[in-house]
Amino acid sequence: MPITSVTTDTDACTLTVVADFTVPVRRLWDAYTDPRQIERFWGPPEYPSTFTRHDAAAGGLSTYVMTGPEGDSHGGYWEWESVDAPRSFVVRDGFADADGAPSTELPTVLMEFAFAETALGSRLTTTSRFGSLEALEQLTAMGMEEGMRAAMGQIDAVVEDLRSFAADRSTEVQLLGETRARVSRIIRGTVDEVWRAHTEPALLRRWQLGPDGWSMPVCEFGAEVGQRLRTEWQNDESGERFGFAGVVAESVAPRRLVTTERMISPQDPEGAQSPETLNELTLTPVEGGTLLAYVITYPDADVREAVLATGMAEGMETGYQRLEREVLSA
């Protein structure tokens, strides 16, 4: 167990947990800001978490669901107050109802995470600040301290698992619930560089080309909310053509871009016959580059499985390799 001490101060209405790890601060920091990693320890072992959103930046939002052994689910969220990478971050932690909306029946907690270098590795001090003694006692009675102990007991295995989160791993797909999928990859470039490569048409044309022999004659793209998007690809030998059309729904440069998307074709130029997806791109600085997390929400599970079966992940990996080779390396 990495926990060194647990202290409850009823006068200050705080619960402070100190834990020591034998890894560098940066490795521990990445475990908290990478959704693939934090969901492996945020929550007791019998209640694993799934993070459907994780914006590790001031003003950001994280949403997650813990699923119990009987299939029961319990939602939560973080509102990111401040971030000083890789030294500290502050979030407001709250409960969410079945629809993901913040619960008004249970108190929120201001949680401060402080990371410090030690002789053997790193120390994490987590201070939970409650709005009142009543709130502290209520959440303590619900097992908050035991839950934190159980959660932190899992961190060692995550931070020691270097291979699963290394920068040289290819594109990976993880299913989130019934209708979502998360595509993840570390891109060897800065957040600003990766953002530009995903939002500027001149750069998109250089790497988002698909297989050899295909070109992108249409690329109307940007990052302004409400902007209409359209990309079309063409097989230069056969003339076969397809593409996607959508709208920018949300944009927080250079870390979050949310768009809608429908597949288009010469027979269906506006995508009226195609199901619409919601695509949430989040960029997070990590060791080795920028973690790209791309959460796609489909109309239903059947559509999701049909799209994934087309080899989407392999196609995206081809594009990301080209992005690193032909855009970022230049």
Side-chain angles (χ1 to χ4, degrees):
M1 290 289 288
I3 293 179
T4 302
S5 66
V6 178
T7 306
T8 300
D9 186 333
T10 55
D11 292 329
C13 296
T14 60
L15 172 66
T16 302
V17 179
V18 179
D20 289 287
F21 303 87
T22 57
V23 295
V25 166
R26 183 75 219 199
R27 179 70 193 93
L28 185 60
W29 175 271
D30 285 351
Y32 272 85
T33 58
D34 181 343
R36 304 170 301 169
Q37 299 185 53
I38 191 172
E39 63 189 10
R40 286 177 52 176
F41 64 81
W42 187 253
E46 63 272 20
Y47 280 86
S49 296
T50 298
F51 275 71
T52 54
R53 178 174 175 177
H54 196 46
D55 306 342
L61 176 69
S62 297
T63 55
Y64 61 89
V65 176
M66 294 182 181
T67 304
E70 304 300 322
D72 51 312
S73 61
H74 308 270
Y77 67 92
W78 284 3
E79 294 176 345
W80 290 73
E81 303 266 332
S82 64
V83 177
D84 180 17
R87 291 178 285 273
S88 66
F89 66 84
V90 179
V91 299
R92 186 164 296 279
D93 179 43
F95 294 86
D97 62 22
D99 297 322
S103 171
T104 58
E105 299 178 359
L106 293 168
T108 61
V109 180
L110 191 69
M111 301 188 72
E112 303 172 1
F113 297 79
F115 300 75
E117 183 179 353
T118 66
L120 297 178
S122 54
R123 167 168 290 186
L124 172 60
T125 302
T126 306
T127 303
S128 301
R129 300 188 182 277
F130 301 83
S132 65
L133 179 58
E134 179 184 14
L136 186 156
E137 292 175 340
Q138 179 183 6
L139 294 182
T140 299
M142 291 173 61
M144 181 174 177
E145 179 180 331
E146 292 79 4
M148 292 185 69
R149 287 180 178 273
M152 287 201 164
Q154 304 172 93
I155 298 179
D156 273 340
V158 176
V159 296
E160 291 170 2
D161 182 7
L162 300 177
R163 183 71 192 98
S164 295
F165 311 107
D168 61 353
R169 287 183 66 87
S170 61
T171 302
E172 299 172 89
V173 177
Q174 178 184 359
L175 303 185
L176 307 179
E178 293 296 321
T179 61
R180 291 189 179 100
R182 181 170 64 220
V183 178
S184 303
R185 192 186 192 279
I186 294 178
I187 308 294
R188 296 177 182 84
T190 68
V191 168
D192 287 327
E193 290 171 336
V194 178
W195 173 267
R196 290 183 56 223
H198 278 80
T199 57
E200 296 183 11
L203 296 180
L204 280 165
R205 288 177 183 272
R206 293 174 56 188
W207 70 271
Q208 206 175 72
L209 296 177
D212 292 338
W214 287 75
S215 59
M216 185 188 287
V218 177
C219 185
E220 301 167 4
F221 220 89
E224 297 294 326
V225 173
Q227 181 171 351
R228 299 186 67 81
L229 312 175
R230 192 177 188 91
T231 50
E232 296 183 25
W233 290 266
Q234 176 178 285
N235 185 311
D236 296 328
E237 180 176 347
S238 67
E240 178 186 356
R241 194 159 179 160
F242 76 96
F244 295 97
V247 177
V248 176
E250 181 184 342
S251 179
V252 183
R255 60 180 178 81
R256 178 172 169 81
L257 183 69
V258 182
T259 62
T260 62
E261 185 177 86
R262 288 180 181 272
M263 189 171 183
I264 59 176
S265 66
Q267 297 75 32
D268 185 18
E270 299 304 321
Q273 301 174 29
S274 174
E276 185 175 79
T277 64
L278 184 71
N279 305 334
E280 303 175 65
L281 172 69
T282 302
L283 304 178
T284 305
V286 296
E287 188 171 9
T290 295
L291 172 65
L292 178 149
Y294 198 60
V295 176
I296 308 171
T297 303
Y298 298 89
D300 53 55
D302 289 340
V303 172
R304 181 183 68 181
E305 296 309 308
V307 172
L308 295 180
T310 64
M312 181 190 74
E314 292 80 1
M316 295 179 77
E317 173 60 22
T318 298
Y320 293 145
Q321 291 179 12
R322 186 182 289 117
L323 166 62
E324 292 179 328
R325 182 177 66 249
E326 299 186 14
V327 178
L328 299 180
S329 63

